[in-house]
Amino acid sequence: MDTKVLKAEPASIKAAAELIRAGEVVGFPTETVYGLGADALNAGAVRKIFEAKGRPGDNPLIVHIADIGAIDRLIEGALPESARRLAQAYWPGPLTMILPKSKLIPKEVSAGLETVGIRMPSHPVARALIAQAGTPIAAPSANLSGRPSPTQASHVFSDMAGRIALILDGGACAVGVESTVLDVLCDPVRILRPGGVTAEMIAQVLGRVTVDESVMRPLGKGEVARSPGMKYKHYAPRGHLTIVRGAGAPEAIARMYDAALGQGETPLILGLDAHIGGYGARAVLALGDGAQEAAARLFSALREADELGATRIFSEAVAQAGVGLAVMNRMGRAAAFDVVEVG
Ligand code: TXA
Ligand code: MG
């Protein structure tokens, strides 16, 4: 299959909407990461997403809607009060809420669960695509299973060329990490995957929120993940990634880099802007000036690390507050939680 990449504009969005209506899969931008979309109510179309990604069938997809009225027929029963308040505050935006699914949602979407994740994205291209398709769009991140999520159309092309017909290019994604996945069926609500709508933002609306304990550690052997996606290896670059945290991190990273170089490795540093100068001539990719910029750049940096042939990667950490929790969750998984604490 020939894969076209078209700048997102009215004509190409219309073509993408027609493909969705015809049961095909398209790559499209959202404010978080690029998605791989298909008609959420068409089981055959949804199966094509799993094929294109090489995704295990037991990992459910998020259903994307463009207006709140679309939710009623997708869920069983009324929208819980907590969900209603969060939708009012943070939709459209990077928040996915887990709700009881209606019979309209094929089992392929929910991977056999009785619940479905629903999100209303804010990206104008995503919203136009959903509206014109006239159907909710099921979409995981548009990477091959296991690869870092794509934050640019070129990332989607590098994973999906030959597998899908069309990618809409809407430029770089502003948030850069995937949406917050929130279980709103328990009290207090529980974050299963941290993202752009932060714990602090949720607490502001509901007063209370918990973060699932699996967010900042690997799953134990035989442990059942509340969010199926959390059990899979994720985001991993080919080189071994170590996170170095603490006040002395830049100095420690420089020493580790030099030692790795001496052992014939191809080392690479992911560093915050404030410390880049101190690394001198060592190979460095900039994560920006803090958590927000690091969120927008992390996945792109992990892909670049592969392109540069890095075999050892040392990354600075960001503070685990706000969107920093999402950054450290993704970085932690990419590093298989190999974290070195220094002074
Ligand atoms: O920002 C995003 O959420 C992007 C864009 C495209 O919207 N999508 C995305 O989808 O990241 P995906 O499939 O890569 O990640 C969805 C995550 C997975 O970890 C999955 O296990 C979890 O959400 N999930 C989906 N439905 C669920 C459910 N019913 N219960 C628990 N977890 C669920
Ligand atoms: Mg994903």
Side-chain angles (χ1 to χ4, degrees), residues 13 21 34 40 45 63 79 87 150 153 215 257 261 301:
I13 295 172
R21 273 202 301 271
Y34 275 75
V63 174
L79 197 60
V215 161
Y257 178 105
L261 194 64

Coordinates of all heavy atoms in Angstrom, one line a residue, residues 13 21 34 40 45 63 79 87 150 153 215 257 261 301:
I13 N -8.4 16.7 4.8 CA -9.2 16.2 5.9 C -10.5 15.5 5.4 O -10.9 14.5 5.9 CB -9.6 17.4 6.9 CG1 -8.3 17.9 7.5 CG2 -10.6 17.0 8.0 CD1 -8.5 19.2 8.3
R21 N -14.9 6.6 6.8 CA -16.3 6.1 6.6 C -16.3 4.8 5.8 O -17.2 4.0 5.9 CB -17.1 7.2 5.8 CG -17.8 8.2 6.7 CD -19.0 8.9 6.0 NE -18.6 9.6 4.8 CZ -18.1 10.8 4.8 NH1 -18.1 11.5 5.9 NH2 -17.8 11.4 3.7
Y34 N 0.2 11.8 17.7 CA -0.6 11.4 16.5 C -1.4 10.1 16.8 O -0.9 9.2 17.5 CB 0.3 11.1 15.3 CG 0.6 12.4 14.5 CD1 1.5 13.4 15.0 CD2 0.0 12.7 13.3 CE1 1.8 14.6 14.4 CE2 0.2 13.9 12.6 CZ 1.1 14.8 13.2 OH 1.3 16.0 12.5
A40 N -15.0 3.8 15.1 CA -15.0 3.1 16.3 C -16.2 2.1 16.4 O -16.2 1.2 17.2 CB -15.1 4.0 17.5
A45 N -13.0 -2.4 10.7 CA -12.1 -1.3 10.6 C -11.2 -1.2 11.8 O -10.0 -0.9 11.7 CB -12.9 0.0 10.5
V63 N -11.8 5.9 22.4 CA -12.7 6.4 21.4 C -12.8 7.9 21.5 O -13.0 8.5 22.6 CB -14.1 5.8 21.7 CG1 -15.2 6.4 20.7 CG2 -14.1 4.3 21.5
L79 N -23.8 9.8 32.6 CA -22.4 10.2 32.8 C -22.3 10.4 34.3 O -23.1 11.2 34.9 CB -22.1 11.4 32.0 CG -20.7 11.8 31.8 CD1 -19.9 10.7 31.1 CD2 -20.6 13.1 31.1
A87 N -15.4 16.8 32.4 CA -15.6 17.1 31.0 C -15.8 18.6 30.8 O -15.3 19.2 29.9 CB -16.8 16.3 30.5
P150 N 4.3 8.8 18.3 CA 4.7 9.8 17.3 C 4.2 11.2 17.7 O 3.0 11.4 17.9 CB 4.1 9.3 16.0 CG 3.0 8.4 16.4 CD 3.2 8.0 17.9
A153 N 4.4 14.1 12.0 CA 3.9 13.2 10.9 C 5.0 12.3 10.4 O 4.8 11.1 10.0 CB 3.3 14.1 9.8
V215 N 2.0 3.4 38.3 CA 2.5 4.4 37.4 C 4.0 4.6 37.5 O 4.7 4.8 36.5 CB 1.7 5.7 37.7 CG1 2.5 6.9 37.1 CG2 0.3 5.7 37.1
Y257 N 29.0 9.0 31.0 CA 29.1 9.1 29.5 C 30.6 8.8 29.1 O 30.8 8.0 28.2 CB 28.8 10.5 29.1 CG 28.9 10.9 27.6 CD1 27.8 11.0 26.8 CD2 30.2 11.1 27.0 CE1 27.9 11.3 25.5 CE2 30.3 11.4 25.7 CZ 29.2 11.5 24.9 OH 29.3 11.8 23.6
L261 N 31.9 5.7 26.8 CA 32.7 6.0 25.6 C 34.0 5.1 25.6 O 34.3 4.5 24.6 CB 33.0 7.5 25.5 CG 33.6 8.0 24.2 CD1 32.5 7.9 23.1 CD2 33.9 9.5 24.3
A301 N 13.0 12.8 21.0 CA 14.4 12.6 21.4 C 14.7 11.1 21.4 O 15.8 10.6 21.0 CB 14.7 13.2 22.8

